[in-house]
């Protein structure tokens, strides 16, 4: 068929069809990128419910629900429920290990006291743990912590003063011993290790005079190990994170953005401040809360100093930025929600009853395939049964909150809790879909315009073909086939482009947020080259290269300026995690939507091609052939 | 179809072009005929309607009235499909401006009527033979713009002859060529004519018309025999 021959030649020997393919590809890529990101965003919103909270949540804030173990038993007996977990949710102030020295930064955090085992069954907590092992950057510091740690810990007051003075710690020269000792208490263990090490390496005399025999021995072997670089770093940070304990002692697991020393580089990798020095699990933090009594009055603040065991990354920015998780008993202690004996008012030695421990939330995960709404109904029933049961078993004890009386009590699905957030996103996506179907019309219009031009240009060819016997349908077929090829090729390039953009969307975004130097300078060099090329062409006597050169120089120049401006302004953050909730832009292609988009592009390319094709068939061959 | 009926015969053709509101009558009862293997030259002043007549004879256009018969069959009232087939198989056009497709190479241009007609691949062997006979075998993969005018016209003739038509309709085939190159083309036509090809050729030039078996003149929309003295 001559149509194939002509289509392939028309495609490969001209610029115009390349424009048509590019137009279709851009349209397809645009729709794929936008819809994929929107769909991915909605999916992430939905998934994050399960990741973070399970399917249904019972909540009674501040005061909490007593006898919650009975409630969990009741819920876990439901065939629809897979698991349930208690939780104490409150807020507090966390003193971070940074900066160096006195004046550590405090930070407002959300505290989640959980039962790690049960919590991991309801959520995907285990998958969110950030450090399965020590990150490469932090290994050196962790090794040093272990080598010098025992000595640093065993320093007495006099030794601390001597070491601080000898380490060259800036302010100590004009201080009294008492002041230095005060400063010493503010320093973290890793900081002590730093100072101790500095003195060991630089002032051996001071060390020999200051340390005891056993301490000197430990230091000796530490130095030897460090010189041999023989860091034997067995670790169980993951295990610590899962159990929320280290060596049996409770600790904290902080969201990845709680520590402001963590940041993401332009490749999307997490980086730890000061080359690994500020790796949070090296440190401990002090957590302070203000407990509240049953009637809402505040009590004395409580403080717990806990080691950081690990960090977690849920991908939900507000959570990763503010949440700290720890064992539920610690949180209960911090909020006075733990089990306590009730003593007689007149005789405090006489125990009259037990105040049960409380949980402010119960997270429930449904069995696979169970609708959250159905699960919610069953959980409500279980809750009522639990209230009856508790009231019978403990007629004098505290009563659990009841529906219709305690309005703070809620049993809601995760989606209901976040309806105000999810609803608008869904509407936005529907709106985007509608708006972007206009892109198809644009696509068809572009193909139409470009094909119109091609048909105009090919008028004589059409006359020739008719003169050698080509029929009018035959001519129509040339351009329909041409449109089909343009549509299909464009759709595939669009898919490729859309896929490239979508799967690298985070890198592109980070690049915009922090334009790399090479891009700016590369563009500047390209602009300069373009400029000189234009100047040279100025003497060439032809206008087109000069016009193209001037335009190219302008476009490149504008881009260069923009990048430098962006750099100066600290980058362009479109996907602000604080607004969009997630730290990563969704980067999965929405496959069904992509297929529909591609088919749509092909159909609309054919629609666009049909009109010029019909015109081509109507060309009068005699007129087409008459003149050169 | 009787023995004596001509290969191609046109009777009483009328064709009027409309320019705005003005009617331009071009053909007013023209009649022409040619026998198998005959070479007929059509002379006439510029604008007299020579090309128009040739287009009608080739089935590229339809007359307002009158009839055209090929081997006794009525072309002018053919259904479209049949007229396409007639253009593809029974006649071959050659134009003053060669009219090759610029994106196709020499071989593909020559092959085109074969592809349009039936074949998926066309008759490559015949195309090569024709081009070889016309001295173009070293040009097969060249694009038309890489060829001289004479070479282009030879490709155009090869294309016209690919499907083995009985009539070649040539509209001033040498009109755009210098005398020497034009002569080469005419020699080529003469060879084909001697091999049995019927030629209907439009020309301005009496000396070219002299090569034909018979010369007619188109004037005032009518075809009349050439009455001027012929120099043989
Ligand atoms: N499509 C058209 N619309 C209006 N007039 C036309 C059209 N085509 C041809 N004509 C007119 O018809 C007349 C005959 O044209 P034609 O091309 O057949 O003449 P010709 O004898 O081939 O002339 P030439 O020797 O210059 O090629 C001319 O006057 C021309 O202007
Ligand atoms: Mg003419």
């Amino acid at each position: 068929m001559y149509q194939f021959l002509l289509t392939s030649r028309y495609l490969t020997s001209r610029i115009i069809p390349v424009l048509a393919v590019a137009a279709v590809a851009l349209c397809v890529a645009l729709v794929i990128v936008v819809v994929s990101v929107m769909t991915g965003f909605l999916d992430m919103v939905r998934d994050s419910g399960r990741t973070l909270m399970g399917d249904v949540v019972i909540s009674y804030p501040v005061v909490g629900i007593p006898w919650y173990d009975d409630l969990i038993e009741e819920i876990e007996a439901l065939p629809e429920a897979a698991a349930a977990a208690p939780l104490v949710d409150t807020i507090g102030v966390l003193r971070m290990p940074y900066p160096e020295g006195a004046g550590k930064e405090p930070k407002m955090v959300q505290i989640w006291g959980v039962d790690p085992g049960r919590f991991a069954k309801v959520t995907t907590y285990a998958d969110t743990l950030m450090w399965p092992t020590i990150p490469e950057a932090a290994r050196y510091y962790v090794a040093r912590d272990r080598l010098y740690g025992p000595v640093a810990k065993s320093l007495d007051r006099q030794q601390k003063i001597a070491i601080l003075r000898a380490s060259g710690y800036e302010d100590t020269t004009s201080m009294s011993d008492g002041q230095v000792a005060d400063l010493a208490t503010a320093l973290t263990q890793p900081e002590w290790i730093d100072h101790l090490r500095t003195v060991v390496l630089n002032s051996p005399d001071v060390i020999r005079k200051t340390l005891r025999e056993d301490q000197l021995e430990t230091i000796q072997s530490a130095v030897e190990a460090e010189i041999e670089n023989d860091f034997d770093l067995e670790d169980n940070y993951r295990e610590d994170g899962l159990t929320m304990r280290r060596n049996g002692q409770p600790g904290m697991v902080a969201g990845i953005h709680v520590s402001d020393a963590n940041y993401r580089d332009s490749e999307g990798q997490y980086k730890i401040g000061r080359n690994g020095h500020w790796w949070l699990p090296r440190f401990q933090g002090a957590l302070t809360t203000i407990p509240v009594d049953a009637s809402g009055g505040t009590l004395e603040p409580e403080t717990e100093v806990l080691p950081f065991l690990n960090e977690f990354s849920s991908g939900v920015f507000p959570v990763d930025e503010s949440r700290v998780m720890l064992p539920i008993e610690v949180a209960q202690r911090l909020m006075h929600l733990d089990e306590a004996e009730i003593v007689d008012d007149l005789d405090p030695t006489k125990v009259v009853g037990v105040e049960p421990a409380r949980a402010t939330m119960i997270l429930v995960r449904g069995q696979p395939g169970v609708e959250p709404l159905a699960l919610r109904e069953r959980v409500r029933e279980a809750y009522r049964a639990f209230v009856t049961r508790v009231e019978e078993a403990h007629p004098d004890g505290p009563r659990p909150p009841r529906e219709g009386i305690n309005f703070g009590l809620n049993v809601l699905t995760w989606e209901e809790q976040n309806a105000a957030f999810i609803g608008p996103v869904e509407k936005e996506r529907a709106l985007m879909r509608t708006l972007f179907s206009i892109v198809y019309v644009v696509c068809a219009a572009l193909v139409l315009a470009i094909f119109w031009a091609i048909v105009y240009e090919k008028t004589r060819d059409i006359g020739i073909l008719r003169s050698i016997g080509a029929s009018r349908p035959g001519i129509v077929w040339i351009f329909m086939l041409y449109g089909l090829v343009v549509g299909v090729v464009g759709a595939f390039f669009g898919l490729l482009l859309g896929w490239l953009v979508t799967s690298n969307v985070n890198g592109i975004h980070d690049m915009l947020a922090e334009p790399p130097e090479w891009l700016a300078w590369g563009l500047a060099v390209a602009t300069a080259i373009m400029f000189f090329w234009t100047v040279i062409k100025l003497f060439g006597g032809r206008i087109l290269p000069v016009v193209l050169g001037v335009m190219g120089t302008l476009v490149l120049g504008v881009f260069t300026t923009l990048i430098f401006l962006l750099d100066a302004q600290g980058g362009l953050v479109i996907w602000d995690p604080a607004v969009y909730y997630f730290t990563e832009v969704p980067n999965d292609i929405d496959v069904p939507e992509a297929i529909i988009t591609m088919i749509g592009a092909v159909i609309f390319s054919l629609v666009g091609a049909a009109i010029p094709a019909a015109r081509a068939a109507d060309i009068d061959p005699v007129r087409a052939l008459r003149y050169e | 179809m009787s023995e004596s009926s001509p290969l191609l015969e046109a009777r009483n053709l009328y064709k009027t072009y409309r320019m705005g509101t003005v009617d331009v009558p071009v053909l007013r009862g023209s009649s022409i005929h040619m026998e198998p293997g005959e070479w007929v030259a059509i002379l006439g002043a510029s604008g007299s309607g020579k090309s128009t007549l040739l287009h009608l004879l080739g089935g590229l256009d339809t007359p307002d009235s009158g009839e055209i018969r090929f081997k006794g069959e009525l072309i002018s009232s053919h259904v479209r499909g049949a007229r396409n087939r007639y253009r593809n198989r029974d006649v071959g056009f050659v134009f003053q401006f060669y009219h090759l497709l610029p994106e196709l190479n020499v071989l593909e241009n020559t092959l085109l009527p074969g592809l349009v007609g039936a074949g998926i691949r066309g008759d490559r062997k015949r195309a090569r033979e024709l081009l070889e006979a016309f001295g173009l075998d070293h040009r097969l993969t060249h694009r038309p713009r890489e060829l001289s005018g004479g070479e282009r016209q030879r490709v155009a003739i090869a294309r016209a002859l690919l499907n083995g038509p009985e009539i070649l309709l040539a509209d001033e085939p040498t009109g755009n060529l210098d005398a020497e190159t034009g002569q080469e083309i005419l020699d080529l036509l003469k060879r084909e004519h001697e091999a049995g090809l019927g030629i209907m050729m439009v020309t301005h030039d009496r000396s070219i018309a002299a090569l034909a078996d018979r010369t007619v003149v188109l004037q005032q929309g009518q075809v009349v025999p050439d009455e001027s003295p012929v120099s043989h």
Side-chain angles (χ1 to χ4, degrees):
Chain A
M1 275 241 293
Y2 64 101
Q3 283 92 348
F4 288 111
L5 179 67
L6 286 173
T7 299
S8 74
R9 285 305 150 80
Y10 282 1
L11 268 178
T12 50
S13 60
R14 323 244 97 203
I15 291 293
I16 309 181
V18 176
L19 290 181
V21 168
V24 174
L26 282 177
C27 290
V28 168
L30 186 68
V31 175
I32 286 183
V33 170
V34 170
V35 173
S36 289
V37 169
M38 293 295 289
T39 306
F41 183 51
L42 260 181
D43 287 349
M44 271 162 82
V45 170
R46 291 231 171 73
D47 285 352
S48 70
R50 292 211 107 183
T51 314
L52 299 170
M53 299 189 93
D55 299 312
V56 171
V57 180
I58 306 173
S59 68
Y60 191 57
V62 188
V63 180
I65 302 164
W67 323 108
Y68 59 84
D69 277 327
D70 292 340
L71 174 55
I72 286 172
E73 207 174 281
E74 200 83 46
I75 290 168
E76 286 188 336
L78 293 173
E80 290 87 351
L87 194 147
V88 169
D89 173 25
T90 185
I91 51 166
V93 174
L94 175 64
R95 204 172 71 225
M96 302 303 294
Y98 51 79
E100 209 82 52
K104 303 289 187 201
E105 280 178 25
K107 179 153 187 158
M108 196 74 173
V109 289
Q110 181 195 32
I111 299 166
W112 263 25
V114 300
D115 172 341
R118 288 195 277 189
F119 184 64
K121 278 191 207 146
V122 174
T123 65
T124 56
Y125 169 67
D127 300 336
T128 65
L129 282 178
M130 197 64 201
W131 313 114
T133 181
I134 309 165
E136 210 44 55
R139 287 185 82 79
Y140 168 67
Y141 293 102
V142 174
R144 265 175 37 187
D145 291 351
R146 298 216 181 142
L147 294 172
Y148 295 86
V151 175
K153 214 170 205 161
S154 66
L155 295 174
D156 61 29
R157 189 185 135 96
Q158 278 313 313
Q159 288 175 324
K160 280 186 176 174
I161 292 168
I163 283 167
L164 263 196
R165 287 200 184 283
S167 72
Y169 194 75
E170 24 183 317
D171 309 333
T172 53
T173 37
S174 57
M175 286 177 160
S176 71
D177 278 5
Q179 284 171 313
V180 175
D182 282 349
L183 177 63
T185 55
L187 298 186
T188 61
Q189 169 83 353
E191 281 169 75
W192 270 116
I193 290 163
D194 277 354
H195 292 305
L196 179 60
R197 189 171 161 278
T198 316
V199 180
V200 167
L201 296 181
N202 299 329
S203 330
D205 305 348
V206 176
I207 285 298
R208 240 170 276 131
K209 269 187 277 166
T210 312
L211 295 189
R212 296 188 307 270
E213 198 57 38
D214 60 316
Q215 288 175 318
L216 272 175
E217 256 169 53
T218 319
I219 285 293
Q220 191 63 39
S221 54
V223 170
E224 273 162 24
E226 196 181 353
I227 287 167
E228 281 171 34
N229 208 1
D230 182 19
F231 301 148
D232 183 16
L233 287 180
E234 273 184 40
D235 67 79
N236 29 339
Y237 286 97
R238 183 176 160 78
E239 199 51 37
D240 293 350
L242 286 176
T243 57
M244 295 188 186
R245 275 166 205 285
R246 180 177 292 156
N247 304 324
Q249 296 302 308
M252 294 180 278
V253 177
I256 188 70
H257 290 295
V258 168
S259 165
D260 294 310
N262 293 338
Y263 60 94
R264 269 179 45 176
D265 67 6
S266 57
E267 268 118 59
Q269 298 292 315
Y270 278 102
K271 284 279 156 69
I272 302 160
R274 234 176 81 191
N275 295 322
H277 172 60
W278 289 119
W279 189 49
L280 208 55
R282 290 177 64 205
F283 300 90
Q284 53 188 23
L287 203 51
T288 304
T289 57
I290 298 177
V292 176
D293 68 17
S295 51
T298 57
L299 306 170
E300 280 296 300
E302 292 277 351
T303 297
E304 291 265 356
V305 177
L306 298 163
F308 292 103
L309 304 173
N310 206 322
E311 288 172 282
F312 73 88
S313 165
S314 68
V316 179
F317 184 75
V319 169
D320 288 345
E321 177 203 41
S322 67
R323 188 172 296 169
V324 171
M325 296 205 261
L326 37 77
I328 188 167
E329 357 27 293
V330 181
Q332 285 168 332
R333 218 157 49 228
L334 282 166
M335 289 311 289
H336 292 194
L337 293 176
D338 47 346
E339 194 174 276
E341 289 173 339
I342 303 172
V343 294
D344 193 286
D345 279 348
L346 302 172
D347 177 6
T349 60
K350 208 170 122 199
V351 177
V352 295
V354 173
E355 176 65 41
R358 291 165 181 263
T360 60
M361 278 194 221
I362 309 291
L363 313 182
V364 185
R365 174 171 203 148
Q367 293 283 5
V370 174
E371 279 296 309
L373 280 175
L375 180 66
R376 186 196 68 187
E377 282 319 299
R378 300 297 309 220
V379 169
R380 281 190 175 156
E381 285 163 24
Y383 188 83
R384 276 178 226 123
F386 153 75
V387 171
T388 322
R389 191 171 128 187
V390 165
E391 282 174 350
E392 276 167 18
H394 312 278
D396 305 320
R399 304 178 71 184
R402 279 155 299 162
E403 278 179 288
I405 296 169
N406 300 96
F407 292 109
L409 176 73
N410 274 311
V411 182
L412 296 173
T413 65
W414 187 84
E415 292 211 24
E416 286 173 324
Q417 275 205 324
N418 294 276
F421 180 65
I422 295 174
V425 177
E426 265 173 346
K427 286 211 182 70
E428 205 173 322
R429 179 170 69 162
L431 185 71
M432 281 289 183
R433 276 226 185 91
T434 320
L435 280 180
F436 274 91
S437 47
I438 294 171
V439 168
Y440 286 132
V441 180
V442 174
C443 183
L446 280 171
V447 171
L448 191 148
I450 291 167
F451 273 44
W452 194 269
I454 293 175
V455 166
Y456 183 81
E457 197 202 328
K458 290 287 160 216
T459 301
R460 204 170 55 98
D461 286 19
I462 294 161
I464 297 168
L465 286 165
R466 297 298 308 281
S467 81
I468 60 169
S471 65
R472 281 146 62 101
I475 300 293
V476 169
W477 271 114
I478 296 174
F479 292 95
M480 293 309 278
L481 188 67
Y482 202 21
L484 183 72
V485 173
V486 164
V488 170
V489 173
F492 273 96
F493 274 110
L495 176 68
L496 189 71
L497 185 65
W499 175 74
L500 278 177
V501 171
T502 309
S503 51
N504 292 307
V505 69
N506 285 296
I508 294 167
H509 182 260
D510 290 338
M511 207 179 255
L512 279 178
E514 208 181 305
E517 295 251 305
W518 59 262
L519 185 64
W521 290 109
L523 274 174
V525 169
T527 313
I529 292 172
M530 198 75 194
F531 177 72
F532 283 114
W533 185 80
T534 312
V535 170
I536 291 165
K537 287 289 162 188
L538 215 50
F539 300 101
R542 292 193 336 152
I543 294 174
L544 183 62
V546 176
V547 170
L548 287 177
V550 168
M551 283 163 85
T553 311
L554 283 177
V555 168
L556 283 171
V558 165
F559 270 109
T560 312
T561 317
L562 271 179
I563 299 270
F564 275 114
L565 273 180
L566 272 181
D567 248 341
Q569 289 201 342
L572 175 68
V573 178
I574 304 162
W575 185 273
D576 183 353
V579 175
Y580 283 99
Y581 213 67
F582 297 100
T583 46
E584 299 235 319
V585 187
N587 58 356
D588 279 330
I589 286 272
D590 182 348
V591 175
E593 204 69 43
I595 292 171
I596 293 172
T597 307
M598 289 170 70
I599 294 173
V602 173
I603 291 173
F604 277 84
S605 296
L606 287 175
V607 169
I611 295 167
R615 188 181 99 108
D618 282 343
I619 285 175
D620 177 2
V622 174
R623 272 169 190 259
L625 289 170
R626 187 164 287 269
Y627 304 106
E628 173 72 315
Chain B
M1 186 176 78
S2 70
E3 271 289 303
S4 62
S5 82
L7 180 64
L8 183 64
E9 183 178 25
R11 268 187 221 276
N12 227 9
L13 296 182
Y14 281 81
K15 184 77 182 176
T16 301
Y17 286 114
R18 178 172 271 276
M19 284 185 44
T21 51
V22 189
D23 281 349
V24 184
V26 179
L27 300 181
R28 285 175 283 185
S30 311
S31 299
I32 192 169
H33 66 96
M34 77 182 280
E35 303 301 324
E38 194 182 13
W39 185 338
V40 180
I42 305 173
L43 278 169
S46 184
S48 57
K50 306 184 292 296
S51 296
T52 304
L53 178 61
L54 209 63
H55 291 150
L56 292 179
L57 292 176
L60 207 53
D61 204 355
T62 47
D64 297 338
S65 70
E67 54 186 36
I68 302 165
R69 285 174 190 278
F70 176 75
K71 290 184 177 169
E73 245 180 89
L74 209 54
I75 298 302
S76 46
S77 65
H78 258 357
V79 288
R80 285 210 176 104
R83 217 161 53 225
N84 291 334
R85 215 171 306 123
Y86 168 69
R87 281 202 304 274
N88 185 244
R89 302 195 165 280
D90 301 325
V91 298
F93 276 105
V94 175
F95 305 97
Q96 180 180 354
F97 298 107
Y98 330 123
H99 286 337
L100 300 173
L101 297 194
E103 275 94 0
L104 304 188
N105 65 30
V106 166
L107 183 61
E108 289 162 343
N109 261 297
T110 310
L111 213 48
L112 210 49
L115 296 172
V116 168
I120 301 291
R121 293 179 42 82
D123 194 344
R124 279 178 179 266
K125 192 159 155 279
R126 168 142 174 90
R128 277 172 197 281
E129 280 167 9
L130 275 169
L131 289 169
E132 206 171 314
F134 293 176
L136 289 163
D137 36 338
H138 59 296
R139 294 275 192 213
L140 295 186
T141 56
H142 286 231
R143 294 289 177 87
R145 64 164 176 276
E146 295 159 353
L147 305 181
S148 71
E151 285 172 324
R152 290 187 209 190
Q153 196 59 298
R154 277 183 272 161
V155 176
I157 295 170
R159 177 180 68 191
L161 298 183
L162 183 86
N163 283 347
E166 286 176 68
I167 304 170
L168 187 75
L169 301 169
D171 194 347
E172 300 189 45
T174 61
N176 211 31
L177 300 171
D178 60 64
E180 202 178 319
T181 322
Q183 193 52 51
E184 282 170 29
I185 296 296
L186 291 171
D187 289 346
L188 193 153
L189 289 180
K190 204 149 71 184
R191 274 205 308 279
E192 293 298 324
H193 173 59
E194 278 156 13
L197 180 69
I199 300 175
M200 180 84 80
M201 184 176 71
V202 165
T203 180
H204 271 116
D205 191 334
R206 273 192 184 279
S207 65
I208 294 173
L211 289 168
D213 301 329
R214 181 159 63 86
T215 303
V216 294
V217 180
L218 189 58
Q219 53 190 25
Q220 269 107 50
Q222 300 214 326
V223 178
V224 296
D226 186 22
E227 253 127 51
S228 64
V230 184
S231 56
H232 261 293

